[in-house]
Amino acid sequence: MIVPMKKAKLVVMKDDKERLLQSLQKAGVFMPIPLPDGEPADDAAQEEALLQRAQKSLSLIKRFREKEGLARELTIVGEDDFVNLDPRSQEMLSEIEGIDSRIAELEAENRALAEQMNYFLPWRDLDIKLSDLSKTKHTIFHTGFIKAGKKEDLQLAVLEAGGEIKELGTGPEGLAFIFVNYIQDDASVMEKAKAMGFIEVSLPQTERFPAEIISEKEEMIKNNREEIEKLRERLASIAKEAEKIEVLNDQLATIGELKKAPVKNLLETVYLEGWVRSDQTDEFKKAIDRATDLYDLELTDPAPEDKPPTVTKNNKFVTPFEAITDMFSRPSLNDIDPNPAMSFWFWIIFGMMMGDVGYGVLMFAVFFALIKLRKPKGDGLKLYKLLLYSSITTVFWGVMFGSYFGYTWNPILLEPMKDLTFYLNFSLMIGAFHVITGVIAAAYANIKKGNWLDALFDQFSWVLVILGIVIWVLPGFLADPKLAFLLRYKTVGMALAITGAAIILLTAGRSKKGIFGKLFGGLLSLYNITGYASDILSYSRIMALSLSTAIIAYVMNLLAEMVMGGFFGYIIAVLIYLIGHIFNLVMGLLSAYVHDSRLQYIEFFGKFYEGGGEKFVPLSYKLKYIDRIKDQDANQQEVY
């Protein structure tokens, strides 16, 4: 159900403002709204900057943290510890940032050293100090590179002129050479060398050998790496206390949310306005009373021009399925809550699409274990519960189809890969009843608004048409012997369809002027039967997805049976079973979730649901990492 909202207008003394906001945040039942000329309670820039630092620090130490086991421990923090920032946590941020900065500096230095070292590597075997390569009275030294294919030509040119040449290492430009020419022959030798593609380089003039320079750079890189390793070990040590930074993250997010709460400062008082769920007004008043006994509070119903947020409240079964609706759009004030009806049909159709006892049992075991061990919260918990509940219908339809990990045994209703006509027929009938539910939901919405005639003429008439056609036409059209019993009610179906069509024909044009307008309005409305037919045909995807799951399971079983025999054969067969069925289960879950959701969004919601509602987001603790705030005098606040 959609919970009605109350608009709260609250005035308190300025001295009580901080205590009031803290009390309201602790209660988590009041959603403040921006006001004309309103202002935040305080500037939250400092907290937001610190929050960004905390998030960055958590990201930096993430890879140094020990891998979390399958079972997750809840993070529970006392209220006193939560409201008071731990100075050690902020010191840890500064230390992490300093270490990260130093590591970045050392890594940049190592890259520069590596480039310098690589420059000298081709000249490592040069047994002359670089300062000795300068021009003498009679000779000139040259250092440079040439392609391997030209080295013999270069050597010949130098030696023919009476010079000396030595091959050293290899660089990116080719082979490294050093040679010396007599001054009078140098010009002609160099002309030939350049024609061969010789690239001359100038080495720095220093009283050192290249090998010494390279060794020095290597030692510096080694020392830097050792320092980096020590710094990373320190990060690993800090990572053991990462929970402190996680708590700080939630503390800062909570403080920032509090400071950004919109208020309006008056001369001696503070004015707040916002929304409260009608079923939480008592908790709201208690939260105010805990902060101050001097206040003025007015609770009213929303005015026509107001746009209150919407929040749904359902039982434990329906609540997880609210995530499906929220992915589409939240209900608006003009809507009825679609979740009770949608949850039932999503549950039924999901099980049909999976339709295997073995997969259903496996789903139940996996998602039950994940809920108990991983202790998810929020939308993650809703998704796990949705899939856990859907495992029940997967088992049920698996029994109906006689499917057990792809093996068929004693099908009760049908065998998907054999009874194709019946399965298609059955899927379309499921679709017809799903669409009828959507039409009835639209009628219910009209009745709630007092539009009884609209519900009768525009919705119930179509229920008669669709139901009548299902009984009258569908079984005979598909010639399915398993549904032959419906042919006994063919006359009833015909009567229902004709009655519904007559109501539409006579009433659909009631808002038109003139006899022709009313008549043609009815005829045009009857044309909508094509739209309903198209919607119902979409439910053939139930059979298609169920068949795909069954066929893949059958193929995996067949492949495994083909390789059975001997020790290694059985090992390979087991691997095929495991990998094949796990793959099929995962793909089946994904396909069923997506296509089942599509049927809800288009074929079901399209009949009555508008959406577009705003989410109810009360002022509350912002707990991303903390699971529970332990309060000594009140209920523990948890995030689900």
Side-chain angles (χ1 to χ4, degrees):
M1 61 172 287
I2 296 177
V3 181
M5 285 287 167
K6 292 289 185 180
K7 192 169 190 177
K9 299 178 180 179
L10 177 63
V11 179
V12 298
M13 302 301 295
K14 273 191 175 180
D15 293 341
D16 297 327
K17 178 180 70 174
E18 185 175 351
R19 284 197 307 275
L20 173 71
L21 290 173
Q22 289 174 346
S23 181
L24 291 175
Q25 186 177 49
K26 178 180 176 181
V29 296
F30 174 67
M31 176 180 172
I33 57 178
L35 298 166
D37 303 322
E39 57 189 43
D42 207 343
D43 181 18
Q46 181 178 351
E47 283 74 20
E48 289 186 350
L50 199 55
L51 177 61
Q52 290 179 359
R53 291 176 57 196
Q55 292 172 344
K56 183 179 179 182
S57 294
L58 286 171
S59 177
L60 289 172
I61 63 174
K62 182 178 180 180
R63 67 190 186 97
F64 297 101
R65 300 182 68 174
E66 294 181 1
K67 289 186 177 180
E68 192 175 15
L70 182 61
R72 185 178 75 89
E73 295 295 328
L74 291 177
T75 302
I76 302 174
V77 178
E79 185 181 7
D80 291 339
D81 294 330
F82 184 73
V83 297
N84 297 306
L85 297 182
D86 183 1
R88 168 62 185 148
S89 301
Q90 298 184 55
E91 291 171 5
M92 289 170 66
L93 295 186
S94 299
E95 186 175 3
I96 291 170
E97 290 166 344
I99 291 174
D100 180 60
S101 177
R102 179 57 181 162
I103 289 176
E105 180 184 326
L106 291 170
E107 287 178 340
E109 184 178 334
N110 274 0
R111 286 192 295 270
L113 289 169
E115 289 180 6
Q116 297 169 18
M117 187 176 69
N118 290 337
Y119 179 80
F120 287 100
L121 278 177
W123 317 102
R124 179 193 289 271
D125 296 332
L126 186 62
D127 54 0
I128 306 174
K129 291 183 179 180
L130 296 177
S131 58
D132 293 339
L133 298 179
S134 58
K135 180 179 178 181
T136 66
K137 184 176 181 181
H138 300 290
T139 60
I140 296 178
F141 285 93
H142 294 280
T143 52
F145 297 93
I146 195 167
K147 298 298 181 184
K150 295 290 185 179
K151 77 171 187 176
E152 293 180 357
D153 295 339
L154 178 64
Q155 291 170 332
L156 183 61
V158 172
L159 294 174
E160 283 180 345
E164 293 186 10
I165 184 168
K166 182 179 181 181
E167 181 182 346
L168 298 171
T170 303
E173 295 88 355
L175 300 177
F177 278 92
I178 179 172
F179 57 89
V180 58
N181 295 322
Y182 288 107
I183 291 179
Q184 62 270 22
D185 299 320
D186 186 65
S188 61
V189 173
M190 290 307 296
E191 184 178 353
K192 294 178 182 178
K194 289 178 180 179
M196 298 172 191
F198 178 74
I199 302 172
E200 188 168 13
V201 296
S202 298
L203 298 175
Q205 297 294 308
T206 176
E207 292 287 333
R208 305 173 71 187
F209 295 98
E212 292 177 340
I213 298 174
I214 292 170
S215 296
E216 180 187 70
K217 304 297 181 187
E218 288 176 336
E219 185 66 22
M220 293 173 68
I221 291 174
K222 178 184 175 183
N223 292 337
N224 286 347
R225 285 175 177 167
E226 289 175 354
E227 185 177 352
I228 289 172
E229 186 59 31
K230 290 179 181 178
L231 292 171
R232 286 176 174 165
E233 288 175 0
R234 178 55 188 155
L235 284 178
S237 176
I238 296 174
K240 295 177 181 178
E241 300 180 89
E243 291 80 6
K244 292 183 178 179
I245 303 179
E246 291 177 341
V247 171
L248 178 63
N249 180 93
D250 289 359
Q251 289 174 315
L252 294 170
T254 297
I255 295 171
E257 185 72 12
L258 185 69
K259 288 190 172 184
K260 289 185 289 186
V263 299
K264 187 173 183 178
N265 289 316
L266 304 175
L267 189 61
E268 296 292 337
T269 59
V270 174
Y271 175 71
L272 296 90
E273 193 172 296
W275 299 105
V276 182
R277 291 170 47 158
S278 60
D279 59 348
Q280 293 181 340
T281 53
D282 290 341
E283 297 174 50
F284 176 55
K285 292 175 182 176
K286 289 178 183 178
I288 300 173
D289 290 333
R290 284 196 296 266
T292 178
D293 55 4
L294 185 60
Y295 63 90
D296 181 67
L297 172 64
E298 180 183 0
L299 290 171
T300 61
D301 291 327
E305 66 274 10
D306 287 331
K307 293 183 178 179
T310 54
V311 61
T312 54
K313 181 180 180 181
N314 290 294
N315 58 41
K316 290 183 178 180
F317 172 78
V318 174
T319 297
F321 294 88
E322 291 176 353
I324 302 296
T325 300
D326 291 345
M327 285 176 60
F328 180 75
S329 182
R330 298 189 65 80
S332 68
L333 287 180
N334 300 321
D335 285 313
I336 60 171
D337 184 4
N339 292 299
M342 184 277 296
S343 60
F344 171 77
W345 282 111
F346 189 98
W347 186 57
I348 292 295
I349 293 173
F350 193 100
M352 285 185 68
M353 289 178 172
M354 293 299 296
D356 186 279
V357 175
Y359 290 169
V361 171
L362 194 57
M363 284 169 59
F364 185 89
V366 168
F367 292 110
F368 182 82
L370 286 174
I371 291 171
K372 291 298 181 183
L373 298 176
R374 297 300 303 161
K375 300 176 180 65
K377 53 187 179 181
D379 289 339
L381 178 61
K382 285 185 176 181
L383 176 62
Y384 284 175
K385 282 189 173 181
L386 182 153
L387 294 172
L388 177 69
Y389 296 161
S390 297
S391 69
I392 298 171
T393 49
T394 299
V395 170
F396 171 78
W397 288 111
V399 172
M400 293 294 103
F401 300 157
S403 180
Y404 299 80
F405 282 116
Y407 289 106
T408 301
W409 178 75
N410 193 30
I412 296 174
L413 180 65
L414 60 90
E415 188 176 343
M417 289 193 291
K418 289 185 178 179
D419 301 324
L420 296 179
T421 302
F422 178 48
Y423 199 2
L424 176 61
N425 198 345
F426 189 71
S427 298
L428 296 180
M429 283 199 298
I430 290 290
F433 288 119
H434 191 203
V435 169
I436 287 173
T437 306
V439 177
I440 292 174
Y444 175 69
N446 271 327
I447 292 172
K448 282 192 68 176
K449 297 173 185 176
N451 302 326
W452 287 85
L453 291 179
D454 290 344
L456 175 62
F457 296 150
D458 297 337
Q459 278 90 43
F460 283 118
S461 58
W462 279 110
V463 171
L464 295 177
V465 171
I466 298 170
L467 186 59
I469 290 176
V470 168
I471 299 173
W472 175 26
V473 176
L474 203 57
F477 177 73
L478 292 177
D480 193 331
K482 293 188 178 182
L483 293 178
F485 71 94
L486 287 177
L487 295 175
R488 290 181 243 162
Y489 305 98
K490 184 175 181 179
T491 304
V492 175
M494 182 188 303
L496 291 175
I498 292 174
T499 301
I503 294 173
I504 295 169
L505 183 64
L506 295 174
T507 63
R510 61 187 180 277
S511 60
K512 306 290 183 180
K513 293 182 179 180
I515 185 72
F516 290 105
K518 295 182 183 298
L519 180 60
F520 283 108
L523 288 172
L524 288 174
S525 294
L526 273 177
Y527 187 71
N528 286 337
I529 190 65
T530 59
Y532 283 105
S534 175
D535 289 343
I536 293 171
L537 285 173
S538 295
Y539 289 82
S540 60
R541 72 184 64 236
I542 296 176
M543 180 190 73
L545 288 172
S546 180
L547 280 176
S548 69
T549 302
I551 290 171
I552 293 174
Y554 172 79
V555 170
M556 293 303 166
N557 293 340
L558 186 62
L559 289 174
E561 291 169 2
M562 289 172 63
V563 300
M564 279 185 181
F567 178 75
F568 291 107
Y570 280 104
I571 290 178
I572 295 173
V574 169
L575 289 175
I576 292 174
Y577 275 127
L578 289 175
I579 297 173
H581 284 294
I582 290 173
F583 169 79
N584 195 25
L585 175 60
V586 172
M587 294 305 296
L589 287 173
L590 179 62
S591 298
Y593 185 87
V594 171
H595 288 279
D596 197 354
S597 297
R598 181 210 175 276
L599 290 174
Q600 310 305 321
Y601 295 156
I602 298 177
E603 276 69 36
F604 185 61
F605 284 172
K607 302 298 176 289
F608 68 97
Y609 187 63
E610 294 181 10
E614 179 185 354
K615 186 177 181 180
F616 178 67
V617 185
L619 180 66
S620 61
Y621 294 150
K622 298 302 173 185
L623 306 183
K624 180 179 180 181
Y625 298 101
I626 298 173
D627 293 284
R628 187 178 301 141
I629 302 297
K630 191 175 182 181
D631 183 6
Q632 299 90 332
D633 16 81
N635 293 328
Q636 296 173 351
Q637 183 175 133
E638 302 182 28
V639 174
Y640 290 105

